[in-house]
Amino acid sequence: MPSRYLYLVRHGEQKDAEHGLPDGPLSKRGVSQAQAIAERLGDVPFTGAWTSPLQRARETARIMTERLPSLTPEPSALLMDCIPSGPAPDMPHAFEPFFGAITEQEIEAGEAQMADATGEWMAPSREDRHDLLITHNFVIGWFVREVFDAPRWRWLGINQANAGLTIIRVRSAKPPVLITHNDLGHLPRELRSGLPQEQPY
């Protein structure tokens, strides 16, 4: 049975991200993270690669292709940072403040984007594929939610560190499988960043 493997990589750490800048270049640590994930994926026979068009993702892709020269990531608006869905009646109240400054237009745009993204990359393939997607925390959280057919709000709280690796297997006759989530084995402790709360892992 042919399988499609999705290698979802969150971009490297953004420089000055703590100041609330919406986008920007990678920090020195982010560059090292991108190099490390490229080394980790060096033996994967990639069929294709795509990246969010935002600067922090594009720079991650550029650094990765320096070590993986056979890759030519294509920018895709389907991998942009977004709000994948809005609040729902069954959502825990603790998540409600997150949506305070988010507009209905942002939610509608995110919902449409992620419907197209999962339609594009969660569809079974007629041959084995290995696809690399360099994207953002919420986008990866939505893909993981999709694997489990969880409630639409459940991308909230599914978090990925910078340069964390998530792998999903998509098959034609069976449900998709989450092979690994937020794997950081390629990153030494000093290079681990990007989770809501730093933890001693």
Side-chain angles (χ1 to χ4, degrees), residues 12-196:
E13 180 184 76
Q14 180 184 329
K15 184 177 181 181
D16 297 328
E18 67 272 16
H19 300 307
L21 298 177
D23 195 20
L26 299 185
S27 67
K28 183 177 179 180
R29 182 160 62 169
V31 170
S32 296
Q33 291 167 344
Q35 293 169 341
I37 187 66
E39 293 289 341
R40 170 72 180 275
L41 298 175
D43 294 331
V44 178
F46 284 114
T47 314
W50 292 264
T51 179
S52 160
L54 293 179
Q55 183 178 359
R56 57 193 185 273
R58 287 189 291 107
E59 188 168 337
T60 300
R62 179 185 60 76
I63 293 167
M64 291 181 69
T65 54
E66 290 173 357
R67 301 198 175 206
L68 301 169
S70 62
L71 281 182
T72 306
E74 302 175 27
S76 173
L78 299 182
L79 298 176
M80 284 277 288
D81 203 4
C82 70
I83 304 299
S85 72
D90 60 338
M91 184 185 76
H93 295 302
F95 287 126
E96 290 176 358
F98 172 83
F99 293 98
I102 295 171
T103 67
E104 287 293 329
Q105 290 77 15
E106 289 176 294
I107 293 170
E108 290 174 3
E111 289 175 339
Q113 175 186 320
M114 294 316 303
D116 289 344
T118 53
E120 177 73 21
W121 285 294
M122 293 287 284
S125 174
R126 294 183 179 179
E127 58 186 12
D128 287 342
R129 291 189 59 88
H130 296 266
D131 293 335
L132 173 64
L133 309 180
I134 302 167
T135 183
H136 304 275
N137 187 42
F138 294 163
V139 174
I140 298 172
W142 182 266
F143 272 91
V144 173
R145 183 219 66 81
E146 189 80 5
V147 169
F148 296 113
D149 194 24
R152 290 180 60 80
W153 58 267
R154 200 61 192 90
W155 58 274
L156 287 159
I158 302 177
N159 294 302
Q160 291 69 223
N162 295 117
L165 174 63
T166 294
I167 304 175
I168 294 171
R169 181 185 180 193
V170 180
R171 301 168 292 179
S172 58
K174 296 182 180 180
V177 174
L178 181 65
I179 294 176
T180 188
H181 174 248
N182 195 36
D183 187 340
L184 304 180
H186 50 285
L187 297 176
R189 182 174 177 179
E190 64 270 16
L191 289 184
R192 298 181 181 186
S193 67
L195 292 174

